[in-house]
Amino acid sequence: QSANAIELTGDTYSLSFSKENGSLLSVNQAGKTGSIWKSGEQGLWNARFRDNTEVNAAAFKPTGERTFRWSTADGGLKLEYLAPEISVTVTVTPGSGSADFRAEVQPREKTILEFALPARLRFEPQSVERFVSPMAGGTSVGSAFNSHFFEAQSQETPGGWAPKPFGTA
């Protein structure tokens, strides 16, 4: 454990969580440098209520009205979030090639319509070699995007694309 992070390691990966609110600080593949991704602005999870208000893990701190605490047990990690409107317990259990994330969510004042674990994830665009995304079967088998596609675009000249035939067909 470091001063600001909680470390969880498997055979082929390591995960680093914030001691402040449980956000993913990094997900690393064994033998490679740099993080694959990390939590975005919402932290580890996000919940949306029926009245269209939201609460997320980034709003929690070790002290205060929205409290975060963590503990280790059975080689895994338990992250607890307590607030007037919601109670969330996330358990992270390491496996040989992956980690299992499970959440128990208890609404307190409002009805929950959506819960996301993990919430939005972020990555460094320069770390992308190729991202392949499926497309509509009648028009294409998929598209491959390189790191430039994910970089910040200027509002005056944003990037874009137009489909066009390529190759012998």
Side-chain angles (χ1 to χ4, degrees), residues 92-121:
V92 185
T93 308
S96 61
S98 63
D100 184 36
F101 286 71
R102 293 180 189 243
E104 292 181 27
V105 181
Q106 181 66 49
R108 294 185 174 202
E109 295 178 348
K110 304 175 184 179
T111 302
I112 297 174
L113 293 183
E114 293 178 16
F115 184 82
L117 172 69
R120 292 182 182 144
L121 297 170

Side-chain angles (χ1 to χ4, degrees), residues 5-97:
I6 310 157
E7 305 291 333
L8 191 64
T9 305
D11 295 342
T12 60
Y13 63 89
S14 65
L15 307 173
S16 179
F17 297 87
S18 164
K19 286 184 177 179
E20 183 75 12
N21 62 21
S23 295
L24 266 170
L25 300 175
S26 67
V27 175
N28 298 86
Q29 189 174 1
K32 297 200 176 181
T33 58
S35 176
I36 297 170
W37 63 69
K38 62 183 178 179
S39 289
E41 62 282 354
Q42 297 172 328
L44 187 61
W45 57 265
N46 183 64
R48 187 174 65 85
F49 299 101
R50 182 182 301 204
D51 65 1
N52 227 17
T53 59
E54 295 185 16
V55 65
N56 57 57
F60 288 73
K61 305 284 182 228
T63 59
E65 184 181 44
R66 293 186 170 145
T67 306
F68 167 73
R69 63 179 177 233
W70 64 275
S71 60
T72 57
D74 301 323
L77 185 59
K78 183 177 181 181
L79 309 169
E80 296 178 285
Y81 301 84
L82 303 169
E85 66 271 34
I86 194 170
S87 170
V88 177
T89 301
V90 176
T91 56
V92 185
T93 308
S96 61

